[in-house]
Amino acid sequence: MANEHVCPCTAGCPLQNVMNALGGKWKMSILCSVLNDGPVRYNDLKRKMEGISNTMLSKSLKELEEDGLVERNEYLEIPVRVEYEATDKTRSLTPILSELAVWSGENMN
């Protein structure tokens, strides 16, 4: 259809891309934790995320890692120690997320 309306927020839209990367029930909580607490181990992160399943935490961490927002560091110790931390890309989001929080407080009562 030549007259069909096409939404500008479709595939390839930068806003849609960031919403896909940050969206979901747990991703923002994970990002806040690694931003505020620094490197964090899986079990410590799980304790902070009350109600999250192991499957969902693992999946969310993997997706955040694939999007370059969380870095997974594995230390070859016995037992192996794994920590997750924010990347520079995530740290560059901090002012934007702060502004969104302000906007939400003012507009999403």
Side-chain angles (χ1 to χ4, degrees), residues 26-37:
W26 299 104
K27 287 183 179 179
M28 195 56 61
S29 295
I30 293 168
L31 289 176
C32 286
S33 181
V34 297
L35 278 167
N36 292 323
D37 301 334

Side-chain angles (χ1 to χ4, degrees), residues 20-31 60 63-64 67:
N20 289 339
L22 299 178
K25 183 176 179 178
W26 299 104
K27 287 183 179 179
M28 195 56 61
S29 295
I30 293 168
L31 289 176
S60 297
E63 290 172 0
L64 289 167
D67 289 329

Side-chain angles (χ1 to χ4, degrees), residues 51-71:
I52 193 170
S53 68
N54 281 321
T55 302
M56 184 54 67
L57 179 56
S58 294
K59 180 179 183 275
S60 297
L61 284 167
K62 184 177 180 179
E63 290 172 0
L64 289 167
E65 186 179 5
E66 288 170 356
D67 289 329
L69 298 170
V70 169
E71 184 176 342

